[in-house]
Amino acid sequence: MNSTWSILQFLQKHRIQKKQKLYKLAFGVAFDWTIAIYIAFFAFFLLFIAYDELKNMESLFISYGERIDQWFPLVVIGLIGKMLALSFQHPQIVITSAEWKLTSLPFSMKKIWRIFYVAEWAKRACFYLVMFLFISVIFPFDRELLFTWFLTLFVASSLLILPQWHLFQLAGRQKMQWYLFIVFMMIIWRFVSLILDDTIWLVIVVGCLLFVNLFLWMKRFQQVDWMKVIDANDVRVWRMFFIEKMSDVEIESTQRQGIFSQIFRTEKDRQPFPYKNERVVFRRIWKRTLLKAKGQLLQLIGSIVLVLFILGSLGQWEFGLAISLTMFMFTKIIGSYFYEGLHEKMIHSLPWRIQMIKRSFLDWTIRLAVIYCILLLVAFIVLQTTSIFMFIQFILYISSLYYLLQLTINEHIYRFHHKWWKKPWQQNLIVIGIYIVMACSIALPLFSLFFVIVLGIMLQYKKEWNKFLKSIS
Amino acid sequence: MSLLHIENVTVNMLHETILNQVNVNLDHGKIYALIGHNGAGKSTLMKTIMGLIEKNEGSIKLASYNQDTSFLSFKQQLSYIPEEPFLLSELTAMQHFQLYGQSYQMKESSFNEKVHELASQFEIDDKLNEYPESLSKGMRQKVQMICALLPDIPLLLIDEPFMGLDVYAASHLQQLLREKVSHHTTILLTSHQLDRIQDLADEFIMLHNGKIEDAGKMEDFRFLSRRSEE
């Protein structure tokens, strides 16, 4: 055990050193001494301000402290929920490819696992102790109550290490069954917590977790998919947000253990596509691109809502501006996914049947455009008085959206084809004109009649596009 | 007129010159071996031809299509097998073949015929509905190989074709490449297996530190000295 312990320490030491070097490089790129001194200066004052603010809120914390008991069962159930969610991506025992390579030397994986398991308990103990000390110094909570809280959280979260390890190994239907069973148990425990006294409830829950741990301890090396464990841990250990942003290199899992890829793959998904329907395969590829960006898409929707409602509530001109601004955001961001998708190594190495690829992309983006239009409609109804122009205004927005989306995607295509392609200045003028018309369309509804011109421009543009398609076929 | 014309291509990465004023001409229906030590720039040259790496200078023309000004038409003329297979985890082996077949506009009947022929030759006909993560590295390499071998195109680029293949698959591949060449396809490949390359290639191009050091008939190729001896 001693030699295993020292080799793991050796690995850990060098891992930390490598990370330090990376951070040093990244900080060197991001900050110079002047900026660093300014930030340190502001951070120092911020701490004082925060402490002062917290002191002012003392009475509020005391009233929270009196009511905090009722949240106790919910927090423990929340820990179980967190374990469930994480079990798709993180095995909890952080064995990476470096530790795995030790098994080709005279080191036992069982010993390595045991050390990491104990380390996980120790990490939690340290974390909850530091949190307890920090909160008990800063906030005026009852210390005895706080200690009970942190002790329980420590025990509960530590007893969830083994279940998460086991759940991570499961796949497909088996995982789903266990998942549903645990969700069902969480609901039951919540109801029981409403009936029973908190202490009795806690004894029952911890007792259950202890029993599960004893049961799983015997099975801890059964059904283990080591490659999956290593892949997930490698990503976790080496994915450093700041370094990724500075170097523009994203660490990705080679196996993609996401919930979607594991559970929602049906037998039908494995079947060959209808060969004659060419769009089906690209629709799947675009779905993948957009799912990868689901976080950013949600941010985009959130930003659209904020801009529409905040600017829109200020007045008619501002609402018009919000429409132009959100349409600009929407078309540019969606266009960038088209660009990104075609830069996927495999897709890039194929000859592109560009019209088909574009249409399959539009199949997805039209759904997103519908969401955008619904948001716009809701903002319209909430913020504006309905008029007879509303219908015409919406025709203007929908036709402009469609045209601008086409234009953004086609610009990427032109630039792919011809490295030095420049957007014609007339097109720039038309685009600016459309944004201005939309911005004016609320305060001056007659501007919406420009939709006729937009439709005319679209028809003309379609001819140009067809000419381009002919030239490359 | 040559099929592929590479003129004064330079690629720089992080202040380092990876390819330095490279000039290459490839004729129709021949196998060219790109030879060189690790880090000589072989894979970079392949990726630059594919457009996966942006060149800083020079021009690349394939069958009269310029990479810079007619990229979409340029791409229709070639197919690429990378050293490390880059398959999509969302598609099965068969779905990858379909993606390639459709992209190169193969007819359904000839596509099906070719897939079954190649899948049985490479012994993966029982894995067609499997996703890449459930295939071994060699199997994934075979899937990528079949993808690129499906279409009949003027230029085939192969980075380390025999890597990860068993002896039977490697020998099948050698035979298939010869067949391709008899149908006027030009092949540019890199490999460290010099004995196999000497049997297969018609001509060689030797890269050293990002520059073309030597080129000529394969039978005139003497040896590759150790990197440390230079």
Side-chain angles (χ1 to χ4, degrees):
Chain A
M1 182 70 103
N2 271 343
S3 61
T4 312
W5 173 241
S6 38
I7 191 78
L8 290 178
Q9 272 186 317
F10 174 79
L11 283 179
Q12 188 63 16
K13 187 181 136 197
H14 285 271
R15 187 175 290 155
I16 291 169
Q17 280 175 355
K18 187 174 176 181
K19 283 190 173 189
Q20 276 174 344
K21 271 185 193 165
L22 287 171
Y23 274 115
K24 214 173 161 184
L25 275 171
F27 274 107
V29 174
F31 305 107
D32 58 22
W33 276 106
T34 324
I35 297 175
I37 290 168
Y38 272 116
I39 290 175
F41 186 71
F42 282 116
F44 185 70
F45 277 99
L46 207 67
L47 277 177
F48 273 102
I49 295 165
Y51 183 75
D52 206 36
E53 284 298 312
L54 288 172
K55 279 282 167 204
N56 288 339
M57 292 160 80
E58 203 167 288
S59 58
L60 192 72
F61 284 119
I62 290 168
S63 73
Y64 278 153
E66 283 160 4
R67 281 178 286 158
I68 205 166
D69 270 0
Q70 63 193 38
W71 298 103
F72 195 63
L74 269 184
V75 173
V76 176
I77 290 173
L79 275 180
I80 300 171
K82 184 184 147 208
M83 178 275 289
L84 266 188
L86 286 179
S87 70
F88 284 95
Q89 282 143 359
H90 184 30
Q92 277 296 335
I93 309 288
V94 194
I95 292 169
T96 67
S97 47
E99 284 82 23
W100 177 253
K101 277 174 193 147
L102 292 179
T103 54
S104 58
L105 298 167
F107 295 101
S108 145
M109 184 42 82
K110 287 185 181 176
K111 276 185 191 169
I112 295 172
W113 188 93
R114 211 179 304 148
I115 290 172
F116 275 100
Y117 180 70
V118 175
E120 281 301 319
W121 275 76
K123 264 190 228 168
R124 279 165 176 73
C126 290
F127 173 76
Y128 286 111
L129 185 66
V130 171
M131 286 297 284
F132 165 71
L133 292 175
F134 177 74
I135 294 177
S136 58
V137 169
I138 302 279
F139 299 96
F141 287 135
D142 174 10
R143 290 209 177 139
E144 202 177 318
L145 178 79
L146 260 187
F147 184 74
T148 323
W149 260 79
F150 279 101
L151 187 66
T152 315
L153 290 179
F154 161 66
V155 172
S157 75
S158 303
L159 286 175
L160 287 168
I161 298 170
L162 206 50
Q164 188 170 327
W165 166 260
H166 188 70
L167 264 179
F168 179 80
Q169 314 301 338
L170 303 178
R173 203 169 289 168
Q174 206 185 5
K175 188 164 195 152
M176 202 61 198
Q177 282 166 354
W178 274 105
Y179 193 88
L180 290 174
F181 173 72
I182 297 169
V183 171
F184 175 72
M185 285 306 293
M186 281 161 67
I187 297 168
I188 299 272
W189 281 337
R190 176 61 187 143
F191 277 116
V192 173
S193 74
L194 297 173
I195 305 160
L196 293 178
D197 174 69
D198 280 355
T199 319
I200 300 170
W201 181 85
L202 192 66
V203 170
I204 294 173
V205 172
V206 171
C208 285
L209 286 177
L210 261 174
F211 175 76
V212 170
N213 269 263
L214 283 174
F215 176 69
L216 292 178
W217 184 259
M218 262 93 80
K219 295 177 137 205
R220 67 193 186 277
F221 296 121
Q222 286 174 20
Q223 272 190 307
V224 176
D225 185 344
W226 288 107
M227 290 306 115
K228 194 170 138 182
V229 171
I230 287 160
D231 182 60
N233 283 328
D234 275 351
V235 173
R236 202 171 175 84
V237 167
W238 293 111
R239 177 171 274 178
M240 294 173 279
F241 177 78
F242 187 64
I243 308 288
E244 280 186 357
K245 291 294 149 200
M246 286 296 111
S247 62
D248 213 13
V249 175
E250 203 173 317
I251 308 285
E252 270 193 71
S253 160
T254 51
Q255 296 190 23
R256 291 183 201 289
Q257 311 298 341
I259 181 167
F260 291 104
S261 58
Q262 282 183 42
I263 290 177
F264 297 115
R265 260 181 193 172
T266 61
E267 202 45 47
K268 198 182 155 206
D269 289 337
R270 288 174 181 269
Q271 296 309 309
F273 299 115
Y275 192 77
K276 287 202 171 73
N277 190 351
E278 297 171 336
R279 272 153 76 175
V280 181
V281 62
F282 259 94
R283 239 181 259 149
R284 169 115 32 121
I285 289 166
W286 287 125
K287 181 181 165 190
R288 168 183 185 273
T289 307
L290 294 172
L291 273 178
K292 258 169 89 176
K294 58 182 180 293
Q296 288 126 303
L297 283 173
L298 284 173
Q299 276 176 14
L300 171 68
I301 292 172
S303 315
I304 287 174
V305 171
L306 283 177
V307 173
L308 280 177
F309 281 87
I310 293 174
L311 273 182
S313 60
L314 297 177
Q316 288 190 325
W317 284 104
E318 287 83 353
F319 189 43
L321 187 69
I323 292 171
S324 286
L325 202 62
T326 52
M327 205 167 283
F328 177 79
M329 281 158 57
F330 185 83
T331 50
K332 289 293 165 197
I333 290 174
I334 296 297
S336 70
Y337 292 130
F338 183 76
Y339 178 87
E340 278 298 312
L342 290 186
H343 270 78
E344 165 84 47
K345 275 187 197 162
M346 169 144 207
I347 306 302
H348 193 280
S349 29
L350 287 168
W352 296 331
R353 303 193 55 204
I354 211 70
Q355 183 69 343
M356 179 270 291
I357 293 177
K358 190 182 132 187
R359 277 192 185 147
S360 50
F361 181 71
L362 283 174
D363 287 344
W364 282 108
T365 44
I366 281 170
R367 291 168 208 208
L368 293 169
V370 169
I371 297 177
Y372 171 72
C373 289
I374 291 171
L375 292 175
L376 192 58
L377 185 68
V378 173
F380 222 91
I381 293 166
V382 173
L383 302 168
Q384 296 294 314
T385 47
T386 47
S387 72
I388 46 159
F389 275 104
M390 195 174 145
F391 181 68
I392 303 169
Q393 280 165 324
F394 261 83
I395 295 179
L396 171 73
Y397 304 143
I398 291 168
S399 54
S400 303
L401 178 63
Y402 187 71
Y403 173 68
L404 293 170
L405 206 53
Q406 290 266 355
L407 209 65
T408 316
I409 294 170
N410 291 353
E411 273 171 34
H412 286 305
I413 295 171
Y414 286 135
R415 242 175 235 125
F416 276 135
H417 185 61
H418 197 304
K419 202 173 170 181
W420 297 291
W421 180 82
K422 287 262 180 312
K423 195 172 165 184
W425 63 269
Q426 300 93 323
Q427 221 165 61
N428 274 329
L429 273 186
I430 292 171
V431 171
I432 293 169
I434 290 175
Y435 282 122
I436 292 174
V437 166
M438 284 193 294
C440 298
S441 65
I442 303 287
L444 308 166
L446 273 175
F447 265 68
S448 333
L449 291 172
F450 273 102
F451 83 88
V452 183
I453 296 174
V454 176
L455 289 175
I457 293 167
M458 270 167 72
L459 281 176
Q460 184 59 34
Y461 185 70
K462 204 179 171 196
K463 279 183 200 164
E464 271 175 49
W465 172 248
N466 286 338
K467 222 164 111 185
F468 169 74
L469 285 179
K470 228 175 177 179
S471 74
I472 56 163
S473 62
Chain B
M1 197 188 154
S2 57
L3 172 74
L4 180 75
H5 182 66
I6 300 176
E7 197 181 338
N8 297 329
V9 164
T10 299
V11 174
N12 299 321
M13 281 180 202
L14 295 171
H15 314 298
E16 209 179 311
T17 303
I18 312 293
L19 292 178
N20 191 356
Q21 299 285 314
V22 170
N23 290 291
V24 173
N25 281 308
L26 304 188
D27 290 332
H28 291 268
K30 279 186 179 173
I31 299 182
Y32 292 84
L34 202 52
I35 297 168
H37 293 294
N38 294 336
K42 305 185 296 291
S43 298
T44 307
L45 181 57
M46 291 275 198
K47 286 175 187 166
T48 310
I49 298 170
M50 280 305 300
L52 287 166
I53 292 179
E54 189 95 353
K55 57 187 183 307
N56 299 84
E57 271 177 46
S59 75
I60 302 176
K61 273 186 193 165
L62 174 57
S64 82
Y65 295 109
N66 190 315
Q67 194 198 42
D68 293 329
T69 54
S70 311
F71 190 53
L72 296 180
S73 316
F74 177 94
K75 270 155 70 78
Q76 285 165 7
Q77 312 299 314
L78 79 166
S79 182
Y80 172 56
I81 304 173
E83 185 181 354
E84 286 290 326
F86 34 69
L87 302 173
L88 303 175
S89 55
E90 284 73 10
L91 301 183
T92 64
M94 184 59 170
Q95 289 165 348
H96 275 95
F97 301 151
Q98 288 185 306
L99 174 64
Y100 267 74
Q102 286 172 345
S103 298
Y104 284 97
Q105 299 185 55
M106 292 178 74
K107 285 196 178 128
E108 191 173 6
S109 55
S110 67
F111 166 79
N112 286 333
E113 199 182 309
K114 255 190 154 169
V115 163
H116 288 112
E117 191 188 315
L118 289 168
S120 80
Q121 275 178 349
F122 282 104
E123 296 176 317
I124 62 158
D125 32 10
D126 56 335
K127 305 279 181 195
L128 293 180
N129 292 336
E130 296 290 337
Y131 287 100
E133 60 264 26
S134 53
L135 299 174
S136 68
K137 195 188 170 199
M139 289 283 186
R140 289 204 293 269
Q141 185 72 19
K142 286 178 181 178
V143 172
Q144 183 86 65
M145 193 76 74
I146 294 174
C147 284
L149 291 173
L150 280 171
D152 286 320
I153 25 81
L155 180 65
L156 181 57
L157 305 172
I158 320 178
D159 206 351
E160 292 291 343
F162 306 110
M163 186 90 99
L165 296 185
D166 55 53
V167 276
Y168 300 108
S171 138
H172 274 307
L173 176 65
Q174 206 163 332
Q175 201 183 320
L176 282 166
L177 295 180
R178 275 265 154 244
E179 272 171 37
K180 281 262 168 204
V181 170
S182 68
H183 292 101
H184 304 291
T185 295
T186 298
I187 298 171
L188 177 64
L189 52 85
T190 71
S191 180
H192 288 109
Q193 298 184 24
L194 286 178
D195 48 343
R196 211 178 264 282
I197 286 268
Q198 274 177 322
D199 286 346
L200 185 65
D202 301 307
E203 305 217 8
F204 75 94
I205 299 162
M206 178 133 58
L207 267 176
H208 178 64
N209 283 342
K211 280 186 174 174
I212 304 276
E213 197 177 66
D214 196 6
K217 299 255 178 245
M218 199 68 226
E219 55 261 30
D220 297 334
F221 176 71
R222 291 279 168 263
F223 63 92
L224 188 65
S225 60
R226 288 187 63 164
R227 199 164 181 250
S228 55
E229 287 167 6
E230 288 151 7

